[in-house]
Amino acid sequence: MRHAGHIVALVHQKMAQVIEPGISTKELDSIAYNIIRENKATPSFLGYNGFPASICASVNHEVVHGIPREDVILDKGDIISVDVGATYGGFIGDSAWTYPVGKVTPELQRLLCVTEEALFCAIKQMRAGNVLDDVSSAVEIVAKREKLGIVRQYGGHGVGRRMHEDPFLFNYKVGDKTQLKAGYTIAIEPMLNLGGDDVEVMPDKWTVCTVDQKASAHFEHTVLVTDGEPLILTQLEVKG
Ligand code: MG
Ligand code: MG
């Protein structure tokens, strides 16, 4: 899983370099596919429940599960969430990041910063003996402090040999007292909105958008609970 996560991190490293005005989300998908294949892994999303691509590319008010398209060309001031999974040796890494396209408004910049902060506050709670609610609460506290909407219908999940394993992880407190144990691997993925909480699925049956059309951000890491500090699996492996 550590190496699957490394490959996912390689994709994000490249996304950060190539995302700029004028590139299509389909091009981003091809770049991600090639990096995954060159590293002897397979794109976990491709064909998952019929999904047609290696990344989910969700622009502005799209929250998650956007399908990469040739005719979706990024423009200055957009934000784009890229979600990617790689399977290596039978194990999966899953991570999403939301990128600014060129210079974005201070309001959008705040949305990105706060959603990333919510992810890292949640990761800090991934300790043996804590409960799932501690992780969920961490996201909710940051979102509420900044008066951002919280996507309710989607959330984090266990991940390992399959992409979506138990438990489901809400991005707000629900009273789940399931205890975390060393060895658990969970994808934590806050999705926060500039407007209200509500989202809806588009007629393409994949793309999830905010109902009020306000922008949404999504940050995700796959994280391992250890006997000590939580370990982020979807980051670059340090050599040596
Ligand atoms: Mg993901
Ligand atoms: Mg996920």
Side-chain angles (χ1 to χ4, degrees):
M1 276 189 80
R2 185 68 192 84
H3 194 62
H6 169 75
I7 295 165
V8 164
L10 287 175
V11 173
H12 279 297
Q13 187 182 45
K14 189 70 178 180
M15 291 294 120
Q17 292 164 2
V18 299
I19 286 174
E20 58 177 28
I23 197 165
S24 73
T25 54
K26 181 76 186 166
E27 287 171 87
L28 297 179
D29 183 57
S30 302
I31 292 166
Y33 175 85
N34 287 331
I35 292 172
I36 293 167
R37 298 300 297 172
E38 281 161 14
N39 284 278
K40 301 182 172 52
T42 53
S44 318
F45 295 3
L46 188 60
Y48 184 82
N49 292 336
F51 190 75
S54 302
I55 64 168
C56 297
S58 310
V59 181
N60 296 334
H61 70 287
E62 297 172 351
V63 180
V64 286
H65 305 165
I67 299 172
R69 289 163 52 132
E70 266 170 51
D71 61 352
V72 175
I73 312 287
L74 297 179
D75 201 359
K76 194 168 60 141
D78 287 340
I79 58 170
I80 177 175
S81 151
V82 174
D83 193 352
V84 59
T87 307
Y88 181 87
F91 287 94
I92 293 173
D94 182 12
S95 171
W97 210 259
T98 304
Y99 300 92
V101 182
K103 194 169 162 53
V104 301
T105 63
E107 195 181 34
L108 286 175
Q109 192 56 55
R110 181 177 72 95
L111 174 68
L112 300 186
C113 287
V114 174
T115 311
E116 184 180 346
E117 182 191 348
L119 170 61
F120 282 91
C121 286
I123 290 171
K124 276 195 193 142
Q125 296 299 322
M126 286 282 285
R127 291 181 161 276
N130 276 3
V131 296
L132 280 178
D133 235 18
D134 295 323
V135 184
S136 300
S137 288
V139 172
E140 185 175 28
I141 287 165
V142 173
K144 288 206 160 149
R145 185 195 76 204
E146 297 290 331
K147 301 193 166 44
L148 295 176
I150 301 172
V151 174
R152 307 267 159 178
Q153 293 95 323
Y154 301 88
H157 50 91
V159 55
R161 289 188 182 275
R162 286 178 298 118
M163 185 141 64
H164 294 120
E165 299 181 350
D166 286 340
F168 185 80
L169 175 66
F170 290 88
N171 284 315
Y172 55 98
K173 204 171 166 74
V174 291
D176 191 332
K177 300 299 179 200
T178 305
Q179 270 209 355
L180 297 172
K181 294 182 179 150
Y184 280 20
T185 49
I186 295 178
I188 303 173
E189 47 183 315
M191 289 153 252
L192 303 183
N193 306 333
L194 276 184
D197 297 346
D198 293 344
V199 298
E200 59 189 347
V201 180
M202 294 295 100
D204 68 13
K205 296 198 167 59
W206 281 105
T207 314
V208 177
C209 292
T210 56
V211 170
D212 60 15
Q213 306 269 298
K214 296 212 172 147
S216 184
H218 177 210
F219 287 78
E220 174 184 32
H221 269 309
T222 299
V223 181
L224 170 70
V225 179
T226 74
D227 289 320
E229 295 297 315
L231 182 65
I232 299 173
L233 298 177
T234 38
Q235 61 189 353
L236 296 175
E237 285 171 324
V238 180
K239 292 223 170 69

